[in-house]
Amino acid sequence: MIKDVVINLEHHVARDPARDFAISIAEICDTHLAGVAFAYIPEFPGYVVLELPPDIVAQMTAESEKSAVAAIERFDAAAKRSLISVEHRLLRTRGAEAPTILATLARRFDLSVFMQSEPGRVDNDDMIETALFQSGRPLIVVPYIQKDGLMLDRMVCCWDGSRAAARAFNDALPLLTRANTVDLLIVLDEKTNRKNKEVRGVEMAKHLARHDVKVRLERIAAPDIDVTSAILSYVADNSGTLIVMGGYGHSKLREVILGGVTRDMLKSMTVPVFMSH
């Protein structure tokens, strides 16, 4: 069951689709919701700091804190209208440290929510990747174009027989059992056409059905280089409302390397994506 959710609050967006999406999760699942906003202490090379007047650094820090407080106020106002259990946290840190701090915090929540990076406006790549690989918890990434809250009309679970996908399905069970329809989608490419018959999905479909998930098995063909496009085309053609998939890659000493499908999905997603690693 999902009992608590943490959301990374955005500073400079007129509308925060991830915040509104997280509130809708709390409403539907009757969960506690924590909003986190970072006030950033500016970082400069040592020689620059020596040349900067102290009041300039203080002013920049104050502006960041003002933006964080405003984000919290918007969060509190939106959550108050929904009458859900909420808290907020204002965290002061240097920018490079924020992803690890939030990933560590997310370990004490069932789910974390982020807005997709928006070119030229919001860069959440480090936040998302660090939470995916270091929190040990699932997350949902919400497209910056998202207008709706959580919709469970049709969930699409991307199955390739991997450990990451199995983990994602297990973590998503509280949502899968609420969904009207769940498509177990297999993209037939060089990887899934190998002799491993389990990747055909029959056993996984049976497993999900035992959890009272209304599942149906779907297979589509696509070349290896175009798996993400195949998934997104299927989702669009079938009115999918939430994608569930494993997050692929690894992290080492803060250098995060994403697998191709994960990276492309985070860049091109058109509906919210639930991921586990």
Side-chain angles (χ1 to χ4, degrees):
M1 297 178 67
I2 298 174
K3 288 297 185 180
D4 45 23
V5 178
V6 61
I7 166 70
N8 177 54
L9 301 174
E10 299 298 336
H11 282 210
H12 303 296
V13 292
R15 185 184 67 87
D16 188 342
R19 177 200 65 208
D20 297 337
F21 192 89
I23 289 173
S24 73
I25 296 173
E27 291 173 331
I28 291 172
C29 299
D30 190 23
T31 69
H32 179 73
L33 178 62
V36 176
F38 285 96
Y40 294 107
I41 302 169
E43 295 179 284
F44 301 100
Y47 64 88
V48 174
V49 173
L50 292 175
E51 297 178 2
L52 279 175
D55 58 331
I56 295 297
V57 176
Q59 181 180 348
M60 295 174 69
T61 302
E63 285 297 321
S64 180
E65 184 161 338
K66 181 180 178 181
S67 295
V69 169
I72 286 174
E73 290 174 348
R74 293 192 296 269
F75 167 75
D76 286 344
K80 186 177 181 179
R81 293 193 293 270
S82 300
L83 301 177
I84 57 177
S85 171
V86 298
E87 65 173 292
H88 65 249
R89 304 188 187 189
L90 175 62
L91 303 179
R92 298 170 179 85
T93 185
R94 300 187 185 279
E97 299 169 352
T100 299
I101 291 173
L102 190 54
T104 302
L105 176 64
R107 293 171 187 168
R108 276 91 76 184
F109 290 83
D110 291 321
L111 180 68
S112 54
V113 181
F114 299 87
M115 189 178 89
Q116 173 197 25
S117 293
E118 182 176 4
R121 296 191 66 191
V122 177
D123 183 359
N124 279 340
D125 287 355
D126 284 348
M127 284 281 193
I128 293 167
E129 293 170 11
T130 305
L132 178 62
F133 296 125
Q134 295 187 19
S135 72
R137 298 289 191 170
L139 57 83
I140 292 181
V141 183
V142 181
Y144 59 80
I145 60 172
Q146 183 76 13
K147 295 181 180 179
D148 299 316
L150 175 65
M151 298 177 64
L152 300 175
D153 300 353
R154 190 169 204 155
M155 295 178 64
V156 178
C157 294
C158 303
W159 178 237
D160 61 1
S162 69
R163 178 180 62 181
R167 175 65 182 270
F169 293 3
N170 184 73
D171 289 343
L173 275 174
L175 300 180
L176 293 173
T177 55
R178 293 172 178 265
N180 295 337
T181 303
V182 175
D183 291 353
L184 185 62
L185 179 63
I186 297 173
V187 179
L188 298 174
D189 59 4
E190 291 182 7
K191 178 180 178 181
T192 54
N193 268 327
R194 293 172 185 168
K195 293 182 180 180
N196 180 4
K197 293 183 180 180
E198 162 51 21
V199 82
R200 299 295 179 178
V202 175
E203 293 299 324
M204 178 53 73
K206 290 179 181 178
H207 169 71
L208 293 174
R210 294 187 192 105
H211 284 275
D212 297 322
V213 176
K214 305 176 186 69
V215 63
R216 68 179 198 176
L217 188 57
E218 298 288 341
R219 300 186 184 96
I220 57 175
D224 283 356
I225 60 173
D226 209 25
V227 172
T228 301
S229 295
I231 294 171
L232 292 177
S233 294
Y234 178 89
V235 169
D237 292 343
N238 292 276
S239 301
T241 54
L242 181 65
I243 296 172
V244 178
M245 61 179 287
Y248 302 95
H250 68 275
S251 62
K252 182 179 180 181
L253 298 178
R254 295 188 54 79
E255 180 182 353
V256 180
I257 302 173
L258 290 174
V261 174
T262 304
R263 181 180 57 249
D264 293 344
M265 185 62 70
L266 290 175
K267 185 181 300 182
S268 307
M269 57 193 294
T270 52
V271 299
V273 177
F274 183 110
M275 287 186 176
S276 295
H277 175 64

